[in-house]
Amino acid sequence: CMLGFALGASVSVWAQTPLVSHGDVWHYRKGTPANGAPPSFWKTSADAALDATWLTGNGGLEYADNAPEVANCGVLLSDMKNAYTAVCLRRQFVVTNAVPASQRLYLRMDFDDGFIAWLDGVCLTNWNVPGAPAEPAFNASASGDHESSLGNNNPQAAEVYDLGPATNWLSKGTHTLAIQGLNHGSSSSDFIQVADLYLA
């Protein structure tokens, strides 16, 4: 993947300009055997090109065995446990004005157990993804455990990735943030994908 080094959660909140928020309406696709692999263009196509296997809902995506862990999630994947381990999600946004040269692009991820993220089809960063930066199989599993920030078993702070000058990534027009979230195993007690993309 591209650089994107983690900063913990230290970027000043007041200085952020959101591009994609976890509570926005996202398109998502379950990695079930019936759905199979997503089309090759899923990370870059217009929303109108997505077929009926894609669902919509306010992010983040989750299932969990404790209520506090899902405080930032709007989509309950009640059928995921013991059925599938991966979910694709994407959100398009429009840049209407030139991005200031002083601005940097950041991706904040709160997750359980792994993910890989792309912007306009270019890999940004990943965690616990076997074979990265190659796109995982639709039914892939995370290569290790990672608890979300609100989990009940050794919670980990959300990761913030500094992706460098925003002008390297964003021109005026429509852009697509795409993520594939992975669970360590189908019998896992939880799965969390909470993503925010912003300028600061």
Side-chain angles (χ1 to χ4, degrees):
C1 283
M2 300 294 291
L3 45 140
F5 52 92
L7 297 176
S10 61
V11 179
S12 299
V13 173
W14 64 267
Q16 297 176 10
T17 301
L19 299 170
V20 173
S21 297
H22 63 268
D24 291 341
V25 175
W26 291 68
H27 289 81
Y28 65 97
R29 188 178 192 273
K30 301 173 182 180
T32 62
N35 282 346
S40 59
F41 57 78
W42 78 271
K43 300 186 293 294
T44 56
S45 67
D47 287 340
L50 303 177
D51 65 17
T53 62
W54 290 86
L55 308 173
T56 58
N58 295 93
L61 279 69
E62 57 83 11
Y63 76 84
D65 58 359
N66 67 317
E69 190 171 11
V70 302
N72 295 317
C73 298
V75 172
L76 170 62
L77 299 171
S78 57
D79 62 344
M80 186 173 186
K81 188 173 182 180
N82 296 318
Y84 55 98
T85 57
V87 179
C88 293
L89 55 152
R90 45 171 279 160
R91 168 74 184 180
Q92 292 199 308
F93 62 98
V94 177
V95 174
T96 56
N97 298 306
V99 175
S102 60
Q103 297 280 273
R104 299 180 73 84
L105 184 65
Y106 294 91
L107 175 68
R108 179 185 185 274
M109 291 295 303
D110 196 1
F111 62 96
D112 181 319
D113 288 298
F115 75 93
I116 182 168
W118 299 268
L119 182 61
D120 300 329
V122 178
C123 185
L124 298 175
T125 189
N126 73 94
W127 192 294
N128 280 344
V129 176
E135 181 179 341
F138 77 93
N139 57 354
S141 298
S143 58
D145 289 316
H146 183 281
E147 191 77 356
S148 70
S149 65
L150 299 176
N152 57 6
N153 180 24
N154 189 29
Q156 303 294 309
E159 297 285 346
V160 177
Y161 298 91
D162 181 348
L163 303 169
T167 51
N168 291 347
W169 296 98
L170 299 175
S171 58
K172 289 191 284 187
T174 301
H175 299 272
T176 305
L177 175 64
I179 296 168
Q180 187 172 2
L182 303 179
N183 217 350
H184 191 204
S186 63
S187 63
S188 174
S189 62
D190 51 3
F191 172 79
I192 303 289
Q193 296 290 314
V194 175
D196 296 277
L197 186 72
Y198 58 90
L199 303 175

